[in-house]
Amino acid sequence: MKLVLRGHDERYTVEQSLMNLFPGELPVYAVIEPGDGSWAVVTCQEEADGRLTVTTDLAYGGGKNSAFFTTLLSGSDFDREGQRRHAVAACFYQAALELLEAPPPWGMLTGVRPDKPAAWAVMAGKSLREARRMLEETYFVSPSRAALAAETGGMAAEAARELEPRDIAVYIGIPFCPTRCAYCSFVSQSVEKSFALIAPYADALIREIRAGGEMVRRQGLRVRALYMGGGTPTTLTAEQLDQVLTAFEESFDTAHCGEITVEAGRPDTITAEKLAVLKARGVTRVSVNPQSMEDRVLRAIGRNHTAGDIDRAMELTARYGFPHVNMDLIAGLPADSPEGFRWSLDACLAYGTDNVTVHTLALKKGSRILTEGLSVPPPEAVAEMLDYAGPALRAAGHRPYYLYRQKYMSGSFENIGWCHPKSACLYNIYIMSELCSILSFGAGGSTKMVEPGTNHIERAFNVKYPKEYTERPEKCLGNQQLFAAFYENLFPA
């Protein structure tokens, strides 16, 4: 779509709105010629008294529409910039609405965290009903999604009340998997091709954890949750898992760390020996991630296991009595159908697990789904899957506790974590609602530094690939220095 911006340079806002409302359209900045059928002109006029007027003229699919939005800018420069972005996005949305087949479920919201406005509203003293109404009226979110976001936003507000200014969470990344799934674009290596990298990676990771623990102790920070993800952490041997978790236990004060989660992930990596290590090291939550309980779907996404293997893994996991067990499913996978998804969800609920995460397929660049052109269910089929999931999970005693979105999600829906009361994974709430800093270890790690009670967030990134990670320890140490400096500025001696 050709874009013309007049009186402003809010390119990012307009581009995100474009990609949210018209998937597949790419922004092109060029002169609009007679006969062009896909274009938008977004104009801003700001008066001396702070009055901002935005107009959008838009053409798409043989139709044209215009919209007008006005607001009064006030507050700090940061506040005014946020108000300006909102006005531009709202005007673009209103102009596009009549040219769409149906309103998108999340309205004009384009970001990863659509419930964050609700969480902030509740933390500011608003009721869940008021937060829901705000999402509907200010961001044009559908009533069902607004109610969902108000519910998870309320969970975030509740978690925030339990945090102190020096509280943080820790993430440990294991970027290896038995095979690469068709939907995956993460920076992870399949063991088939990179077995030799695992041992040196684990050694480098342990060194980074020990250095980070020393830094955290010096800063007087308190770890509230640990999450080991991937990839598939149980790709490591039992001995390597023990060494990594022991390094964390010995390097950090874990007196206030009431939650340790490990993604056991693929059932073809789960053994009694590894589960025994996790139990001995105090893991409180494991995640077994079938993604589907249909063998034909598992074959289509490139998994080397069957639904029977999942059943055996769940049976083995149950023997160790972990306090919480999560299972992941993805709605919209190749070869799946609404009937197949219903069977998969019902099978997961039959295990009695207290956490279920329902993802919507995201069509990621670099995934085999796109590079090989694999067929996936249409958005209306995905909607049918999700429409079944919510009521079925609620009937089984689950409630939504966190949610997030990704780019290029089928049907523009969302990922939702469901849990029984008092069994929420706090780490997931912390990171998705950006409630506290996350100190990340490992290749591809993204460390997030959050100033408590504000939207001030800084980030530092580890190198992406395992081999480079083992060869460049100075990058990780440099990120830890940035983390320390952030807290020294927040709490000067």
Side-chain angles (χ1 to χ4, degrees):
M1 178 179 285
K2 287 187 176 180
L3 299 177
V4 175
L5 310 184
R6 294 175 178 165
H8 67 103
D9 192 29
E10 296 292 344
R11 290 192 174 205
Y12 181 80
T13 300
V14 174
E15 289 173 3
Q16 291 301 302
S17 297
L18 167 65
M19 290 186 285
N20 177 52
L21 298 170
F22 302 105
E25 289 284 331
L26 297 176
V28 178
Y29 294 91
V31 175
I32 300 171
E33 304 288 352
D36 286 342
S38 178
W39 52 263
V41 179
V42 184
T43 304
C44 288
Q45 184 173 347
E46 193 169 330
E47 306 295 340
D49 64 355
R51 176 69 56 182
L52 174 68
T53 301
V54 185
T55 57
T56 299
D57 301 297
L58 195 149
Y60 181 79
K64 294 182 181 180
N65 195 37
S66 297
F68 170 90
F69 191 97
T70 184
T71 189
L72 185 63
L73 304 179
S74 61
S76 66
D77 289 344
F78 180 81
D79 294 333
R80 293 164 70 92
E81 180 56 32
Q83 295 159 11
R84 190 178 295 109
R85 288 195 299 267
H86 179 269
V88 169
C91 191
F92 191 97
Y93 175 84
Q94 291 173 331
L97 194 57
E98 289 190 15
L99 306 179
L100 301 173
E101 292 184 6
W106 286 103
M108 62 175 277
L109 292 174
T110 62
V112 171
R113 301 168 178 84
D115 64 344
K116 193 170 183 180
W120 279 89
V122 175
M123 284 188 278
K126 301 293 184 182
S127 68
L128 295 184
R129 179 176 294 182
E130 289 171 323
R132 173 179 175 175
R133 188 182 309 121
M134 176 269 295
L135 289 171
E136 293 182 32
E137 295 176 355
T138 305
Y139 297 99
F140 316 109
V141 177
S142 70
S144 64
R145 260 52 187 194
L148 180 66
E151 195 168 358
T152 58
M155 291 287 287
E158 184 178 332
R161 286 192 286 269
E162 301 298 322
L163 288 171
E164 299 292 336
R166 290 181 180 268
D167 285 350
I168 67 169
V170 172
Y171 178 84
I172 297 175
I174 309 296
F176 300 97
C177 281
T179 59
R180 192 176 184 87
C181 294
Y183 55 79
C184 183
S185 66
F186 289 156
V187 178
S188 59
Q189 307 283 323
S190 66
V191 171
E192 303 161 309
K193 300 179 180 179
S194 58
F195 181 79
L197 293 175
I198 295 179
Y201 178 87
D203 291 341
L205 180 63
I206 289 167
R207 289 192 293 270
E208 186 193 6
I209 290 170
R210 292 193 180 281
E214 183 179 344
M215 178 271 294
V216 164
R217 285 176 180 272
R218 286 199 306 269
Q219 295 301 319
L221 305 178
R222 188 169 73 164
V223 178
R224 297 298 303 275
L226 166 66
Y227 195 103
M228 184 185 289
T232 304
T234 42
T235 303
L236 300 183
T237 65
E239 182 181 8
Q240 289 164 340
L241 281 170
D242 188 53
Q243 290 170 344
V244 171
L245 289 169
T246 297
F248 169 77
E249 185 179 306
E250 293 177 348
S251 304
F252 290 84
D253 181 356
T254 60
H256 299 280
C257 182
E259 174 183 288
I260 300 178
T261 297
V262 175
E263 288 188 1
R266 301 273 287 266
D268 44 345
T269 68
I270 296 173
T271 66
E273 187 181 15
K274 294 176 186 179
L275 292 174
V277 166
L278 301 187
K279 186 69 175 178
R281 297 271 70 84
V283 171
T284 59
R285 183 176 183 268
V286 295
S287 187
V288 180
N289 304 334
Q291 314 305 7
S292 173
M293 296 294 288
E294 291 273 328
D295 285 344
R296 59 191 174 85
V297 178
L298 295 172
R299 288 192 298 270
I301 64 175
R303 291 221 169 181
N304 291 341
H305 64 81
T306 66
D309 295 324
I310 297 166
D311 189 65
R312 285 187 288 274
M314 288 298 294
E315 186 178 310
L316 183 61
T317 301
R319 293 181 201 166
Y320 286 86
F322 292 98
H324 306 292
V325 179
N326 173 73
M327 297 186 79
D328 276 11
L329 293 176
I330 299 178
L333 288 172
D336 208 356
S337 65
E339 296 75 20
F341 179 83
R342 286 198 294 270
W343 159 253
S344 292
L345 180 59
D346 290 346
C348 288
L349 291 175
Y351 292 116
T353 178
D354 64 355
N355 280 237
V356 176
T357 306
V358 178
H359 298 269
T360 300
L361 177 67
L363 299 173
K364 301 175 182 177
K365 296 177 181 177
S367 69
R368 287 201 298 110
I369 288 178
L370 291 186
T371 60
E372 298 178 11
L374 302 183
S375 177
V376 297
E380 53 269 24
V382 177
E384 191 175 340
M385 298 174 188
L386 299 178
D387 286 345
Y388 177 79
L393 284 157
R394 288 185 187 277
H398 292 261
R399 293 293 181 269
Y401 76 96
Y402 86 107
L403 66 85
Y404 68 102
R405 298 177 70 206
Q406 295 166 277
K407 291 183 179 179
Y408 315 116
M409 296 188 79
S410 183
S412 193
F413 293 115
E414 65 285 317
N415 305 317
I416 305 175
W418 298 80
C419 71
H420 286 164
K422 307 299 182 182
S423 64
C425 175
L426 290 175
Y427 176 89
N428 285 333
I429 299 176
Y430 294 159
I431 190 168
M432 287 304 162
S433 295
E434 299 179 320
L435 299 181
C436 68
S437 296
I438 309 291
L439 177 60
S440 293
F441 299 111
S446 174
T447 286
K448 184 180 297 184
M449 294 159 274
V450 178
E451 182 177 348
T454 76
N455 274 316
H456 175 212
I457 298 172
E458 298 178 19
R459 292 172 173 83
F461 303 95
N462 280 1
V463 296
K464 287 185 177 182
Y465 300 103
K467 188 173 188 299
E468 185 183 10
Y469 170 80
T470 63
E471 294 172 347
R472 294 185 56 196
E474 71 279 0
K475 181 66 171 73
C476 300
L477 295 176
N479 289 344
Q480 291 182 16
Q481 291 170 0
L482 292 174
F483 195 87
F486 180 85
Y487 278 95
E488 287 167 0
N489 289 332
L490 278 185
F491 306 109

